[in-house]
Amino acid sequence: MLSLIVPMHDEAPVLDHLFKALDAVIADLGVHAEIICVDDGSRDATLEQLRIRAAADPRIRVIALSRNFGKEAALTAGVDVAGGDMVVPLDADLQDPPSLIAEFVELWEQGYDVVYGVRADRRSDDWLKRLTAGSFYRVFNAISASPIPPSTGDFRLMDRQVIEALKQLPERNRFMKGLFAWVGFRQVGVAYVRPERVAGQTSWRYFQLWRFALDGITSFTTAPLRVWTAVGLAAAATALIAALALIVRVLVVGREVPGYASLMVVVLFGFAIQMIAFGILGEYVGRLYEEVKGRPLYLVRERVGFEA
């Protein structure tokens, strides 16, 4: 049994292409399959088209969330209901090529629990996105105990055992790529070239990617907090050395009036350092606040196709 999880947000223009590609892959594999489409508060005709398709195809199951909760929540909603021995999340825009699933299945049959796609190059991205993505993976893997293979996304095949492990993780600030790496199991990557979107346009913006990166780092390491202990110790040592230097200078040269400009530079620099530290502390406190409230990760407005 193969479960395909497809989070969707305003994906009406790509649905015909998507289901045509999925039908071809399922037919070639010769397996029982379910296609779990999670509508994440779409504002276009995505949900209406999914209802029509689900009525005509018993393999299609639709979860309509009550509003836009974000891709991580939509992906979690699909994981929660997936019943397959193999589970594959993929994007609706076909930038995660369904034709690669056959190779995923072959490696799964060889004993791998997770088979993930690795982008062979990022030439389709602009220079800023390539720079920021590469920087994120380097920083994350340098400070996290659960490194993520560079240039990987959510596109992967996971064994049933991995899915059950993921369902035991209750956090609400979810960074799924990090969770996939954290659970471990036997994993292997498959390189591929990511094609262009078949239709429509991405809803991701740079600010959202920045927030996504912060969620990933703060969810999997406390290094940004610990580093300020080292910064404080270094600042204290610098202040002590400067104080000793001033004492020696006064004893040797004599007293002199300190400059206003240099004093303001030191004060403003110290203030900036404090604000950065408070900002990082605030990120962690805010996440603690979200966890303590205990709100559900998502709310379901409608389910279609699960009765069968």
Side-chain angles (χ1 to χ4, degrees), residues 246-258:
L246 287 173
I247 293 172
V248 171
R249 182 177 180 131
V250 169
L251 292 176
V252 174
V253 179
R255 181 179 300 177
E256 60 178 301
V257 178

Side-chain angles (χ1 to χ4, degrees), residues 67-290:
R67 63 171 176 83
N68 180 249
F69 285 89
K71 184 182 177 182
E72 306 300 283
L75 184 54
T76 302
V79 168
D80 287 344
V81 301
D85 304 295
M86 304 169 285
V87 177
V88 178
L90 72 160
D91 290 343
D93 56 18
L94 294 181
Q95 288 192 293
D96 296 336
S99 57
L100 201 64
I101 296 175
E103 189 171 350
F104 287 178
V105 172
E106 289 180 5
L107 290 168
W108 174 76
E109 291 174 338
Q110 294 175 21
Y112 289 99
D113 301 304
V114 178
V115 186
Y116 54 85
V118 181
R119 295 182 62 177
D121 66 71
R122 304 187 70 102
R123 285 178 293 181
S124 59
D125 297 336
D126 59 55
W127 68 270
L128 181 58
K129 191 170 183 180
R130 291 196 298 269
L131 175 64
T132 53
S135 300
F136 167 75
Y137 283 110
R138 285 192 295 270
V139 171
F140 185 94
N141 290 338
I143 63 179
S144 173
S146 303
I148 301 173
S151 296
T152 61
D154 298 323
F155 184 40
R156 62 191 63 216
L157 181 148
M158 293 172 285
D159 183 78
R160 182 78 242 165
Q161 190 177 8
V162 178
I163 294 299
E164 293 302 322
L166 287 170
K167 290 165 70 173
Q168 297 179 44
L169 307 180
E171 60 254 47
R172 287 160 180 78
N173 289 294
R174 300 180 74 82
F175 180 65
M176 296 303 291
K177 286 192 284 289
L179 296 181
F180 294 150
W182 185 88
V183 296
F185 295 94
R186 190 182 180 196
Q187 304 196 13
V188 66
V190 175
Y192 73 102
V193 177
R194 196 174 198 189
E196 296 291 335
R197 288 179 61 97
V198 294
Q201 57 184 338
T202 180
S203 59
W204 286 96
R205 300 293 180 264
Y206 279 108
F207 176 75
Q208 293 173 304
L209 292 173
W210 168 251
R211 293 296 308 172
F212 189 55
L214 283 181
D215 286 340
I217 292 173
T218 54
S219 295
F220 282 88
T221 179
T222 57
L225 289 175
R226 295 196 304 269
V227 73
W228 288 103
T229 301
V231 171
L233 291 173
T238 303
L240 179 60
I241 294 171
L244 293 174
L246 287 173
I247 293 172
V248 171
R249 182 177 180 131
V250 169
L251 292 176
V252 174
V253 179
R255 181 179 300 177
E256 60 178 301
V257 178
Y260 173 78
S262 59
L263 178 62
M264 289 304 297
V265 169
V266 172
V267 170
L268 292 175
F269 179 75
F271 177 76
I273 291 294
Q274 288 179 340
M275 290 300 100
I276 293 173
F278 287 151
I280 292 176
L281 181 62
E283 288 289 338
Y284 282 92
V285 172
R287 281 154 178 75
L288 286 173
Y289 176 62
E290 291 294 328

